């Protein structure tokens, strides 16, 4: 995949186009209040600063939590927002979050922060910053999952760390562009040799045993949960001497 192919895949995806429209709409609503510069710039800076922590907490404790799939009422939500992504990390259809889930989450995180700083103008500014930051995250998420080889070393390193999260041990490297929260909270690892390979890296703990107890995700999938990538073969056993 070339850089042009990457941009084409990113810029033509409906969810990204929707985010662009929401950025523009939020910015227009902000400007209609004739805000002071502080009411715009301070909320934007605050949202950019808290976003990595918010993403880390959501990713680690909700998306990787073991509770959403245990209820028939939340099983479909968990399946869409993260299980499908780990079952097939290269599938573009589930690479981006579902707007039904992401937009309310972004609004709940960013608008109150902006409002506390700059009132109504700050709420709209914070919301615009939240959607813009999400677009940045999603672009780098594309790089990390699609068949594009980054030329810049720091981007290649981000991709390496995220690939470890998906193919070696899911209990770490929860960041997308920023791994400082991982370092602060002890979930960072820099290489596969730093820890053993997780048996649940593709199923997030929803294995055949859990599927037997809580079958709703499996029923929605139409197949048992996989513990290895699609198309791969289990390791061959060594024949007896």
């Amino acid at each position: 995949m070339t850089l042009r192919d990457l941009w084409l895949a990113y810029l033509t995806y409906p969810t990204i186009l929707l985010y662009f429209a929401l950025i523009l709409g939020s910015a227009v609503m902000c400007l209609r209040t004739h805000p002071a510069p502080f009411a715009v710039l301070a909320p934007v800076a605050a949202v950019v600063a808290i976003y990595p922590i918010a993403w880390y907490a959501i990713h680690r404790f909700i998306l990787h939590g073991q509770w959403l799939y245990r209820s028939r009422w939340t099983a479909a939500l968990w399946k869409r927002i993260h299980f499908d992504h780990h079952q097939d990390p290269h599938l573009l259809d589930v690479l981006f979050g579902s707007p039904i889930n992401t937009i309310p989450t972004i609004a709940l995180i960013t608008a109150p922060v902006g409002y506390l700083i700059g009132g109504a103008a700050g709420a709209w500014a914070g919301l615009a910053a939240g959607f813009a930051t999400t677009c940045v995250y999603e672009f780098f998420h594309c790089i990390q999952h699609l068949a594009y080889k980054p030329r810049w070393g720091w981007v290649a390193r981000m991709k390496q760390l995220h690939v470890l999260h998906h193919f070696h041990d899911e209990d770490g490297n929860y960041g997308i562009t920023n791994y400082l929260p991982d370092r602060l909270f002890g979930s960072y690892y820099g290489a596969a040799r730093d820890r053993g390979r997780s048996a649940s890296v593709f199923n997030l703990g929803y294995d055949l045993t859990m599927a037997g107890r809580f079958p709703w995700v499996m029923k929605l999938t139409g197949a048992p949960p996989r513990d290895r990538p699609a198309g791969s073969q289990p390791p061959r056993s060594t024949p007896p001497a």
Side-chain angles (χ1 to χ4, degrees), residues 168-207:
H168 187 70
D169 184 1
E170 78 283 9
D171 190 21
N173 293 353
Y174 293 101
I176 298 294
T177 65
N178 189 326
Y179 293 91
L180 179 60
D182 283 286
R183 294 180 182 273
L184 291 175
F185 299 110
S187 55
Y188 175 85
Y189 67 104
R193 64 177 177 272
D194 293 342
R195 55 172 70 181
R197 187 182 182 279
S198 169
S200 57
V201 69
F202 293 108
N203 61 38
L204 304 184
Y206 186 74
D207 56 16

mmCIF file of all heavy atoms in Angstrom, residues 168-207:
data_model
loop_
_atom_site.group_PDB
_atom_site.id
_atom_site.type_symbol
_atom_site.label_atom_id
_atom_site.label_comp_id
_atom_site.label_asym_id
_atom_site.label_seq_id
_atom_site.Cartn_x
_atom_site.Cartn_y
_atom_site.Cartn_z
ATOM 1 N N HIS A 168 0.692 -9.864 20.189
ATOM 2 C CA HIS A 168 1.544 -10.498 21.200
ATOM 3 C C HIS A 168 0.879 -10.544 22.572
ATOM 4 O O HIS A 168 0.665 -11.619 23.125
ATOM 5 C CB HIS A 168 2.896 -9.786 21.291
ATOM 6 C CG HIS A 168 3.865 -10.502 22.182
ATOM 7 N ND1 HIS A 168 4.432 -11.716 21.834
ATOM 8 C CD2 HIS A 168 4.348 -10.193 23.425
ATOM 9 C CE1 HIS A 168 5.228 -12.130 22.818
ATOM 10 N NE2 HIS A 168 5.183 -11.226 23.785
ATOM 11 N N ASP A 169 0.569 -9.398 23.138
ATOM 12 C CA ASP A 169 -0.090 -9.354 24.447
ATOM 13 C C ASP A 169 -0.999 -8.141 24.487
ATOM 14 O O ASP A 169 -0.524 -6.997 24.450
ATOM 15 C CB ASP A 169 0.947 -9.300 25.566
ATOM 16 C CG ASP A 169 0.313 -9.349 26.950
ATOM 17 O OD1 ASP A 169 -0.929 -9.442 27.035
ATOM 18 O OD2 ASP A 169 1.048 -9.279 27.949
ATOM 19 N N GLU A 170 -2.294 -8.389 24.562
ATOM 20 C CA GLU A 170 -3.276 -7.309 24.541
ATOM 21 C C GLU A 170 -3.317 -6.517 25.833
ATOM 22 O O GLU A 170 -3.878 -5.416 25.869
ATOM 23 C CB GLU A 170 -4.671 -7.872 24.232
ATOM 24 C CG GLU A 170 -5.379 -8.557 25.388
ATOM 25 C CD GLU A 170 -4.893 -9.962 25.712
ATOM 26 O OE1 GLU A 170 -3.861 -10.381 25.150
ATOM 27 O OE2 GLU A 170 -5.547 -10.637 26.529
ATOM 28 N N ASP A 171 -2.729 -7.045 26.903
ATOM 29 C CA ASP A 171 -2.766 -6.372 28.201
ATOM 30 C C ASP A 171 -1.604 -5.391 28.321
ATOM 31 O O ASP A 171 -0.780 -5.465 29.237
ATOM 32 C CB ASP A 171 -2.725 -7.401 29.331
ATOM 33 C CG ASP A 171 -2.997 -6.784 30.698
ATOM 34 O OD1 ASP A 171 -3.603 -5.683 30.733
ATOM 35 O OD2 ASP A 171 -2.602 -7.381 31.711
ATOM 36 N N GLY A 172 -1.541 -4.468 27.386
ATOM 37 C CA GLY A 172 -0.477 -3.476 27.371
ATOM 38 C C GLY A 172 -0.492 -2.693 26.083
ATOM 39 O O GLY A 172 -1.164 -3.060 25.115
ATOM 40 N N ASN A 173 0.244 -1.571 26.063
ATOM 41 C CA ASN A 173 0.330 -0.709 24.878
ATOM 42 C C ASN A 173 -1.068 -0.321 24.379
ATOM 43 O O ASN A 173 -1.421 -0.521 23.223
ATOM 44 C CB ASN A 173 1.129 -1.396 23.761
ATOM 45 C CG ASN A 173 2.581 -1.577 24.128
ATOM 46 O OD1 ASN A 173 3.053 -1.100 25.149
ATOM 47 N ND2 ASN A 173 3.319 -2.290 23.285
ATOM 48 N N TYR A 174 -1.846 0.268 25.277
ATOM 49 C CA TYR A 174 -3.216 0.650 24.943
ATOM 50 C C TYR A 174 -3.286 1.946 24.146
ATOM 51 O O TYR A 174 -4.345 2.301 23.630
ATOM 52 C CB TYR A 174 -4.039 0.816 26.227
ATOM 53 C CG TYR A 174 -4.262 -0.475 26.973
ATOM 54 C CD1 TYR A 174 -3.498 -0.791 28.101
ATOM 55 C CD2 TYR A 174 -5.236 -1.376 26.570
ATOM 56 C CE1 TYR A 174 -3.706 -1.974 28.796
ATOM 57 C CE2 TYR A 174 -5.447 -2.564 27.255
ATOM 58 C CZ TYR A 174 -4.684 -2.854 28.369
ATOM 59 O OH TYR A 174 -4.893 -4.028 29.047
ATOM 60 N N GLY A 175 -2.198 2.682 24.043
ATOM 61 C CA GLY A 175 -2.204 3.936 23.320
ATOM 62 C C GLY A 175 -2.317 3.743 21.819
ATOM 63 O O GLY A 175 -2.152 2.639 21.301
ATOM 64 N N ILE A 176 -2.577 4.829 21.123
ATOM 65 C CA ILE A 176 -2.555 4.848 19.659
ATOM 66 C C ILE A 176 -1.396 5.717 19.192
ATOM 67 O O ILE A 176 -0.499 5.255 18.485
ATOM 68 C CB ILE A 176 -3.873 5.384 19.081
ATOM 69 C CG1 ILE A 176 -5.044 4.486 19.480
ATOM 70 C CG2 ILE A 176 -3.787 5.479 17.551
ATOM 71 C CD1 ILE A 176 -5.005 3.104 18.890
ATOM 72 N N THR A 177 -1.388 6.975 19.604
ATOM 73 C CA THR A 177 -0.289 7.876 19.254
ATOM 74 C C THR A 177 0.547 8.258 20.471
ATOM 75 O O THR A 177 1.636 8.802 20.318
ATOM 76 C CB THR A 177 -0.829 9.175 18.618
ATOM 77 O OG1 THR A 177 -1.591 9.898 19.592
ATOM 78 C CG2 THR A 177 -1.706 8.864 17.418
ATOM 79 N N ASN A 178 0.048 7.987 21.648
ATOM 80 C CA ASN A 178 0.703 8.439 22.877
ATOM 81 C C ASN A 178 0.734 7.290 23.880
ATOM 82 O O ASN A 178 -0.322 6.816 24.320
ATOM 83 C CB ASN A 178 -0.063 9.636 23.458
ATOM 84 C CG ASN A 178 0.674 10.298 24.606
ATOM 85 O OD1 ASN A 178 1.359 9.651 25.400
ATOM 86 N ND2 ASN A 178 0.536 11.617 24.719
ATOM 87 N N TYR A 179 1.933 6.863 24.240
ATOM 88 C CA TYR A 179 2.079 5.735 25.159
ATOM 89 C C TYR A 179 2.551 6.176 26.547
ATOM 90 O O TYR A 179 2.952 5.338 27.353
ATOM 91 C CB TYR A 179 3.041 4.695 24.570
ATOM 92 C CG TYR A 179 2.452 4.032 23.342
ATOM 93 C CD1 TYR A 179 2.681 4.545 22.069
ATOM 94 C CD2 TYR A 179 1.626 2.921 23.465
ATOM 95 C CE1 TYR A 179 2.111 3.963 20.953
ATOM 96 C CE2 TYR A 179 1.061 2.329 22.354
ATOM 97 C CZ TYR A 179 1.304 2.855 21.102
ATOM 98 O OH TYR A 179 0.733 2.273 19.997
ATOM 99 N N LEU A 180 2.457 7.486 26.803
ATOM 100 C CA LEU A 180 2.809 7.970 28.137
ATOM 101 C C LEU A 180 1.896 7.384 29.215
ATOM 102 O O LEU A 180 2.389 6.961 30.271
ATOM 103 C CB LEU A 180 2.771 9.500 28.172
ATOM 104 C CG LEU A 180 3.086 10.152 29.523
ATOM 105 C CD1 LEU A 180 4.490 9.762 30.000
ATOM 106 C CD2 LEU A 180 2.953 11.671 29.424
ATOM 107 N N PRO A 181 0.561 7.327 29.022
ATOM 108 C CA PRO A 181 -0.272 6.687 30.046
ATOM 109 C C PRO A 181 0.119 5.238 30.313
ATOM 110 O O PRO A 181 0.058 4.773 31.457
ATOM 111 C CB PRO A 181 -1.685 6.793 29.465
ATOM 112 C CG PRO A 181 -1.629 7.990 28.578
ATOM 113 C CD PRO A 181 -0.264 7.949 27.967
ATOM 114 N N ASP A 182 0.519 4.506 29.273
ATOM 115 C CA ASP A 182 0.981 3.131 29.475
ATOM 116 C C ASP A 182 2.205 3.101 30.386
ATOM 117 O O ASP A 182 2.321 2.233 31.260
ATOM 118 C CB ASP A 182 1.324 2.482 28.132
ATOM 119 C CG ASP A 182 0.087 2.058 27.361
ATOM 120 O OD1 ASP A 182 -0.527 1.052 27.754
ATOM 121 O OD2 ASP A 182 -0.260 2.728 26.373
ATOM 122 N N ARG A 183 3.105 4.039 30.176
ATOM 123 C CA ARG A 183 4.303 4.106 31.023
ATOM 124 C C ARG A 183 3.938 4.480 32.456
ATOM 125 O O ARG A 183 4.483 3.922 33.416
ATOM 126 C CB ARG A 183 5.301 5.110 30.439
ATOM 127 C CG ARG A 183 5.899 4.696 29.089
ATOM 128 C CD ARG A 183 6.874 5.746 28.587
ATOM 129 N NE ARG A 183 7.445 5.421 27.293
ATOM 130 C CZ ARG A 183 8.536 4.679 27.104
ATOM 131 N NH1 ARG A 183 9.174 4.175 28.161
ATOM 132 N NH2 ARG A 183 8.993 4.433 25.884
ATOM 133 N N LEU A 184 2.998 5.419 32.598
ATOM 134 C CA LEU A 184 2.623 5.881 33.932
ATOM 135 C C LEU A 184 1.912 4.788 34.732
ATOM 136 O O LEU A 184 2.092 4.683 35.949
ATOM 137 C CB LEU A 184 1.708 7.105 33.824
ATOM 138 C CG LEU A 184 2.354 8.395 33.317
ATOM 139 C CD1 LEU A 184 1.296 9.478 33.150
ATOM 140 C CD2 LEU A 184 3.441 8.874 34.271
ATOM 141 N N PHE A 185 1.114 3.959 34.046
ATOM 142 C CA PHE A 185 0.287 2.981 34.745
ATOM 143 C C PHE A 185 0.774 1.545 34.576
ATOM 144 O O PHE A 185 0.052 0.592 34.862
ATOM 145 C CB PHE A 185 -1.166 3.112 34.287
ATOM 146 C CG PHE A 185 -1.755 4.465 34.587
ATOM 147 C CD1 PHE A 185 -2.029 5.362 33.568
ATOM 148 C CD2 PHE A 185 -2.009 4.853 35.900
ATOM 149 C CE1 PHE A 185 -2.566 6.611 33.835
ATOM 150 C CE2 PHE A 185 -2.538 6.107 36.175
ATOM 151 C CZ PHE A 185 -2.815 6.992 35.147
ATOM 152 N N GLY A 186 2.014 1.395 34.112
ATOM 153 C CA GLY A 186 2.666 0.089 34.133
ATOM 154 C C GLY A 186 2.227 -0.902 33.080
ATOM 155 O O GLY A 186 2.463 -2.108 33.246
ATOM 156 N N SER A 187 1.626 -0.443 31.992
ATOM 157 C CA SER A 187 1.173 -1.376 30.957
ATOM 158 C C SER A 187 2.011 -1.294 29.676
ATOM 159 O O SER A 187 1.670 -1.936 28.678
ATOM 160 C CB SER A 187 -0.308 -1.129 30.632
ATOM 161 O OG SER A 187 -0.535 0.220 30.262
ATOM 162 N N TYR A 188 3.092 -0.538 29.721
ATOM 163 C CA TYR A 188 3.937 -0.387 28.530
ATOM 164 C C TYR A 188 4.921 -1.544 28.421
ATOM 165 O O TYR A 188 5.473 -2.000 29.416
ATOM 166 C CB TYR A 188 4.698 0.931 28.609
ATOM 167 C CG TYR A 188 5.693 1.140 27.476
ATOM 168 C CD1 TYR A 188 5.285 1.681 26.267
ATOM 169 C CD2 TYR A 188 7.031 0.782 27.622
ATOM 170 C CE1 TYR A 188 6.186 1.883 25.227
ATOM 171 C CE2 TYR A 188 7.941 0.969 26.593
ATOM 172 C CZ TYR A 188 7.507 1.526 25.389
ATOM 173 O OH TYR A 188 8.404 1.702 24.373
ATOM 174 N N TYR A 189 5.116 -2.029 27.199
ATOM 175 C CA TYR A 189 6.252 -2.921 26.923
ATOM 176 C C TYR A 189 6.756 -2.635 25.517
ATOM 177 O O TYR A 189 5.982 -2.359 24.603
ATOM 178 C CB TYR A 189 5.893 -4.390 27.134
ATOM 179 C CG TYR A 189 4.883 -4.985 26.168
ATOM 180 C CD1 TYR A 189 5.281 -5.833 25.143
ATOM 181 C CD2 TYR A 189 3.517 -4.730 26.309
ATOM 182 C CE1 TYR A 189 4.360 -6.412 24.281
ATOM 183 C CE2 TYR A 189 2.592 -5.290 25.460
ATOM 184 C CZ TYR A 189 3.021 -6.141 24.432
ATOM 185 O OH TYR A 189 2.108 -6.708 23.579
ATOM 186 N N GLY A 190 8.062 -2.674 25.369
ATOM 187 C CA GLY A 190 8.665 -2.197 24.138
ATOM 188 C C GLY A 190 9.000 -3.250 23.116
ATOM 189 O O GLY A 190 9.266 -2.933 21.954
ATOM 190 N N ALA A 191 8.979 -4.527 23.520
ATOM 191 C CA ALA A 191 9.347 -5.594 22.593
ATOM 192 C C ALA A 191 8.698 -6.896 23.045
ATOM 193 O O ALA A 191 8.355 -7.068 24.220
ATOM 194 C CB ALA A 191 10.866 -5.755 22.534
ATOM 195 N N ALA A 192 8.547 -7.833 22.107
ATOM 196 C CA ALA A 192 7.922 -9.112 22.425
ATOM 197 C C ALA A 192 8.703 -9.868 23.484
ATOM 198 O O ALA A 192 8.115 -10.600 24.292
ATOM 199 C CB ALA A 192 7.796 -9.945 21.148
ATOM 200 N N ARG A 193 10.007 -9.680 23.511
ATOM 201 C CA ARG A 193 10.820 -10.412 24.488
ATOM 202 C C ARG A 193 10.584 -9.945 25.925
ATOM 203 O O ARG A 193 11.012 -10.616 26.867
ATOM 204 C CB ARG A 193 12.301 -10.266 24.141
ATOM 205 C CG ARG A 193 12.831 -8.842 24.221
ATOM 206 C CD ARG A 193 14.330 -8.761 23.930
ATOM 207 N NE ARG A 193 14.808 -7.389 23.940
ATOM 208 C CZ ARG A 193 14.800 -6.598 22.875
ATOM 209 N NH1 ARG A 193 14.343 -7.054 21.710
ATOM 210 N NH2 ARG A 193 15.244 -5.348 22.952
ATOM 211 N N ASP A 194 9.919 -8.804 26.087
ATOM 212 C CA ASP A 194 9.707 -8.260 27.434
ATOM 213 C C ASP A 194 8.643 -9.007 28.224
ATOM 214 O O ASP A 194 8.561 -8.869 29.443
ATOM 215 C CB ASP A 194 9.320 -6.780 27.349
ATOM 216 C CG ASP A 194 10.454 -5.915 26.822
ATOM 217 O OD1 ASP A 194 11.609 -6.381 26.854
ATOM 218 O OD2 ASP A 194 10.179 -4.783 26.378
ATOM 219 N N ARG A 195 7.801 -9.773 27.551
ATOM 220 C CA ARG A 195 6.770 -10.553 28.239
ATOM 221 C C ARG A 195 6.332 -11.699 27.353
ATOM 222 O O ARG A 195 6.577 -11.698 26.147
ATOM 223 C CB ARG A 195 5.562 -9.678 28.612
ATOM 224 C CG ARG A 195 4.949 -8.930 27.451
ATOM 225 C CD ARG A 195 3.642 -8.232 27.850
ATOM 226 N NE ARG A 195 3.871 -7.107 28.744
ATOM 227 C CZ ARG A 195 2.875 -6.365 29.233
ATOM 228 N NH1 ARG A 195 1.614 -6.651 28.921
ATOM 229 N NH2 ARG A 195 3.121 -5.346 30.038
ATOM 230 N N GLY A 196 5.695 -12.690 27.949
ATOM 231 C CA GLY A 196 5.248 -13.837 27.178
ATOM 232 C C GLY A 196 4.053 -13.518 26.302
ATOM 233 O O GLY A 196 3.322 -12.546 26.532
ATOM 234 N N ARG A 197 3.834 -14.366 25.303
ATOM 235 C CA ARG A 197 2.707 -14.154 24.398
ATOM 236 C C ARG A 197 1.417 -14.563 25.087
ATOM 237 O O ARG A 197 1.321 -15.606 25.723
ATOM 238 C CB ARG A 197 2.878 -14.972 23.119
ATOM 239 C CG ARG A 197 1.818 -14.657 22.064
ATOM 240 C CD ARG A 197 1.985 -15.513 20.815
ATOM 241 N NE ARG A 197 1.000 -15.145 19.822
ATOM 242 C CZ ARG A 197 -0.263 -15.574 19.816
ATOM 243 N NH1 ARG A 197 -0.678 -16.381 20.770
ATOM 244 N NH2 ARG A 197 -1.101 -15.190 18.875
ATOM 245 N N SER A 198 0.397 -13.719 24.946
ATOM 246 C CA SER A 198 -0.894 -13.958 25.569
ATOM 247 C C SER A 198 -1.718 -14.939 24.742
ATOM 248 O O SER A 198 -1.789 -14.834 23.518
ATOM 249 C CB SER A 198 -1.658 -12.640 25.709
ATOM 250 O OG SER A 198 -2.994 -12.874 26.069
ATOM 251 N N ALA A 199 -2.357 -15.867 25.423
ATOM 252 C CA ALA A 199 -3.243 -16.812 24.740
ATOM 253 C C ALA A 199 -4.556 -16.161 24.339
ATOM 254 O O ALA A 199 -5.306 -16.717 23.531
ATOM 255 C CB ALA A 199 -3.505 -18.013 25.641
ATOM 256 N N SER A 200 -4.852 -15.002 24.890
ATOM 257 C CA SER A 200 -6.139 -14.343 24.622
ATOM 258 C C SER A 200 -5.990 -13.088 23.778
ATOM 259 O O SER A 200 -6.890 -12.249 23.747
ATOM 260 C CB SER A 200 -6.824 -13.995 25.948
ATOM 261 O OG SER A 200 -5.999 -13.172 26.755
ATOM 262 N N VAL A 201 -4.869 -12.956 23.071
ATOM 263 C CA VAL A 201 -4.610 -11.720 22.337
ATOM 264 C C VAL A 201 -5.627 -11.489 21.218
ATOM 265 O O VAL A 201 -5.916 -10.346 20.856
ATOM 266 C CB VAL A 201 -3.163 -11.709 21.785
ATOM 267 C CG1 VAL A 201 -2.974 -12.733 20.677
ATOM 268 C CG2 VAL A 201 -2.772 -10.314 21.313
ATOM 269 N N PHE A 202 -6.223 -12.570 20.685
ATOM 270 C CA PHE A 202 -7.206 -12.415 19.617
ATOM 271 C C PHE A 202 -8.647 -12.504 20.102
ATOM 272 O O PHE A 202 -9.550 -12.012 19.435
ATOM 273 C CB PHE A 202 -6.977 -13.457 18.516
ATOM 274 C CG PHE A 202 -5.692 -13.262 17.766
ATOM 275 C CD1 PHE A 202 -4.628 -14.129 17.949
ATOM 276 C CD2 PHE A 202 -5.530 -12.198 16.901
ATOM 277 C CE1 PHE A 202 -3.438 -13.940 17.277
ATOM 278 C CE2 PHE A 202 -4.338 -11.998 16.219
ATOM 279 C CZ PHE A 202 -3.285 -12.869 16.411
ATOM 280 N N ASN A 203 -8.870 -13.128 21.257
ATOM 281 C CA ASN A 203 -10.260 -13.271 21.715
ATOM 282 C C ASN A 203 -10.580 -12.449 22.956
ATOM 283 O O ASN A 203 -11.717 -12.464 23.439
ATOM 284 C CB ASN A 203 -10.606 -14.743 21.947
ATOM 285 C CG ASN A 203 -9.742 -15.392 23.019
ATOM 286 O OD1 ASN A 203 -9.398 -14.781 24.028
ATOM 287 N ND2 ASN A 203 -9.389 -16.667 22.807
ATOM 288 N N LEU A 204 -9.593 -11.742 23.515
ATOM 289 C CA LEU A 204 -9.783 -10.858 24.672
ATOM 290 C C LEU A 204 -10.400 -11.576 25.877
ATOM 291 O O LEU A 204 -11.114 -10.967 26.671
ATOM 292 C CB LEU A 204 -10.651 -9.655 24.289
ATOM 293 C CG LEU A 204 -10.162 -8.806 23.114
ATOM 294 C CD1 LEU A 204 -11.062 -7.599 22.914
ATOM 295 C CD2 LEU A 204 -8.723 -8.372 23.320
ATOM 296 N N GLY A 205 -10.102 -12.858 25.987
ATOM 297 C CA GLY A 205 -10.631 -13.627 27.102
ATOM 298 C C GLY A 205 -11.976 -14.274 26.833
ATOM 299 O O GLY A 205 -12.453 -15.068 27.644
ATOM 300 N N TYR A 206 -12.586 -13.926 25.712
ATOM 301 C CA TYR A 206 -13.857 -14.559 25.338
ATOM 302 C C TYR A 206 -13.544 -15.826 24.547
ATOM 303 O O TYR A 206 -13.636 -15.882 23.327
ATOM 304 C CB TYR A 206 -14.706 -13.588 24.516
ATOM 305 C CG TYR A 206 -16.107 -14.107 24.216
ATOM 306 C CD1 TYR A 206 -17.070 -14.147 25.216
ATOM 307 C CD2 TYR A 206 -16.458 -14.533 22.942
ATOM 308 C CE1 TYR A 206 -18.354 -14.616 24.948
ATOM 309 C CE2 TYR A 206 -17.734 -14.993 22.655
ATOM 310 C CZ TYR A 206 -18.672 -15.046 23.663
ATOM 311 O OH TYR A 206 -19.941 -15.516 23.393
ATOM 312 N N ASP A 207 -13.138 -16.872 25.278
ATOM 313 C CA ASP A 207 -12.775 -18.140 24.655
ATOM 314 C C ASP A 207 -13.981 -19.064 24.621
ATOM 315 O O ASP A 207 -15.113 -18.659 24.913
ATOM 316 C CB ASP A 207 -11.599 -18.771 25.404
ATOM 317 C CG ASP A 207 -11.887 -18.961 26.892
ATOM 318 O OD1 ASP A 207 -13.071 -18.888 27.296
ATOM 319 O OD2 ASP A 207 -10.923 -19.183 27.658
#
